[in-house]
Amino acid sequence: MNDFDPAPAVAATQDDRTFAMLTHLSCIIFGFIVPLIMWLVHKDRPEKAFVTDQAKEALNFQITLTIGYVIGMVLTIILIGGLINLVLWILCVVFSIIAALKAKDGVAYRYPFALRLIS
C-alpha cells in the first residue's frame, strides 16, 4: 500500500466514530497533542483500528502544519511569514472540520497534503 491509497474499510462503532471526530476537531485548538494521545492509547488495540488510523492521520497532518508554522515564523523576517501562518491556520480549520464530518460518518479521511511520518 502506498501513501496515496485510501485507508482500509474498518467497521467502526459509534463510539469509535465519535472519538475520531473529536480527535480531528481538537486539532483546531490543541494541535498535535490530542491525536498523539489518542494514537498512543489505542495503537495496540486492534478493535480500535478506526480511531488509531484517524489519530495517525490527524497527527501526520498536524506535524506537517507545525513544519509549515516554523517556516512561517522564520519568514516573518521578510513579512510573508504572517500570511503563511494565517493560510495554514485556515487550512487546519477547514480540513479538520471536513475530516471530523467524514469520521462521524465512519469514513476514513486522508488529508490531501500531509506528510505520512507516522505509519
Side-chain angles (χ1 to χ4, degrees), residues 9-21:
V10 178
T13 66
Q14 182 61 42
D15 285 345
D16 290 347
R17 290 184 287 175
T18 301
F19 277 132
M21 179 186 71

Side-chain angles (χ1 to χ4, degrees), residues 50-98:
F50 183 73
V51 176
T52 303
D53 177 65
Q54 292 303 289
K56 279 192 305 189
E57 188 64 21
L59 183 58
N60 282 326
F61 183 62
Q62 291 304 310
I63 291 170
T64 303
L65 287 177
T66 301
I67 292 168
Y69 287 137
V70 169
I71 292 169
M73 284 190 283
V74 170
L75 292 178
T76 55
I77 296 169
I78 58 173
L79 302 176
I80 195 168
L83 179 63
I84 290 172
N85 285 343
L86 177 64
V87 168
L88 289 173
W89 181 77
I90 291 169
L91 290 173
C92 176
V93 171
V94 169
F95 285 128
S96 294
I97 291 171
I98 292 169

